[in-house]
Amino acid sequence: IASQGLYCRSDEKYMVTRKRITIDGKVVTSASQKADVDKNEILLDGKPFVVKKQIYLMLHKPKGYVSATEDKKQQTVLELIPAELKGRDIFPAGRLDKDTEGFLLITDDGALAHKLLSPRYHVDKTYHVTAAGKVTDDDLKQLEEGVDIGEKALTLPAKAEMIVSGSDISEVLLTIQEGKFHQVKRM
């Protein structure tokens, strides 16, 4: 019940002590008791407890939209979602700059978003970077060792793979595990 975000754990404990929750007809005696919403009948105050299904949308963010839930001056990625999902507590799980396009996960699953975005979970994020000028093997090596982008510490080591190395434009696949402000551009 607490995992649905409708009640906090202390509310759930209160309901358990008041014998307000049953699973398959048996009164729940521990707030840590688990149940499967697809297999068990869960009642709260004698009424079925309705579990909300979480939302996961894969969005190809075009250029010109900001990765935010609201912005008074600019269009947000939430303006691109289907009308029937508007009004739900969904948000972009990550950020792409306004002038950047690519995959963006839109969800209401805060726990998943945290695991995807927190550097401590080491989730790879890959970017197809187009850079002005020639990117050299030494540049790739530097990206893989960590780069000074003006913060206290170097960036974490990245994976960098050359796609096109031209004199005017180069293309690199850059995989990072952090998400610092404008990190890929700064690198």
Side-chain angles (χ1 to χ4, degrees), residues 139 142-150 153-157 186-187:
D139 295 328
Q142 185 66 53
L143 291 168
E144 291 177 344
E145 291 175 356
V147 178
D148 181 354
I149 59 172
L154 297 178
T155 60
L156 292 177
R186 291 161 69 195
M187 290 175 75

Side-chain angles (χ1 to χ4, degrees), residues 49-80:
F49 182 74
V50 179
V51 175
K52 71 175 185 173
K53 297 291 183 183
Q54 291 188 299
I55 297 170
Y56 305 94
L57 299 173
M58 294 187 324
L59 174 73
H60 179 83
K61 184 193 108 36
K63 292 179 182 180
Y65 290 83
V66 293
S67 298
T69 55
E70 59 184 56
D71 192 294
K72 292 183 179 164
K73 297 178 183 175
Q74 303 177 73
Q75 293 179 301
T76 72
V77 292
L78 293 190
E79 294 173 38
L80 301 169

Side-chain angles (χ1 to χ4, degrees), residues 164-177:
V164 174
S165 179
S167 58
D168 295 331
I169 293 180
S170 298
E171 295 181 34
V172 175
L173 279 183
L174 183 65
T175 302
I176 62 173
Q177 294 181 344

Side-chain angles (χ1 to χ4, degrees), residues 7-149:
Y7 302 99
C8 64
R9 299 233 182 257
S10 61
D11 291 337
E12 183 180 287
K13 289 177 183 176
Y14 178 82
M15 289 185 261
V16 167
T17 60
R18 300 290 185 262
K19 301 180 180 178
R20 294 175 53 193
I21 305 170
T22 62
I23 299 174
D24 295 333
K26 296 178 183 171
V27 174
V28 173
T29 58
S30 169
S32 63
Q33 185 171 342
K34 305 287 185 216
D36 183 334
V37 295
D38 294 321
K39 295 178 183 174
N40 302 110
E41 179 187 50
I42 304 167
L43 301 179
L44 174 59
D45 295 328
K47 298 177 186 153
F49 182 74
V50 179
V51 175
K52 71 175 185 173
K53 297 291 183 183
Q54 291 188 299
I55 297 170
Y56 305 94
L57 299 173
M58 294 187 324
L59 174 73
H60 179 83
K61 184 193 108 36
K63 292 179 182 180
Y65 290 83
V66 293
S67 298
T69 55
E70 59 184 56
D71 192 294
K72 292 183 179 164
K73 297 178 183 175
Q74 303 177 73
Q75 293 179 301
T76 72
V77 292
L78 293 190
E79 294 173 38
L80 301 169
I81 65 164
E84 63 268 15
L85 295 176
K86 295 192 184 211
R88 300 283 302 262
D89 288 330
I90 58 177
F91 57 91
R95 300 236 179 266
L96 291 174
D97 295 341
K98 181 180 178 180
D99 62 344
T100 303
E101 65 178 281
F103 171 80
L104 194 60
L105 176 67
I106 308 290
T107 187
D108 60 353
D109 189 341
L112 174 65
H114 176 71
K115 286 181 180 174
L116 292 174
L117 300 174
S118 174
R120 75 184 237 209
Y121 292 104
H122 306 288
V123 175
D124 288 347
K125 296 158 209 59
T126 302
Y127 298 84
H128 182 150
V129 178
T130 303
K134 183 172 184 66
V135 175
T136 66
D137 288 340
D138 286 341
D139 295 328
L140 295 179
K141 184 178 179 189
Q142 185 66 53
L143 291 168
E144 291 177 344
E145 291 175 356
V147 178
D148 181 354
I149 59 172

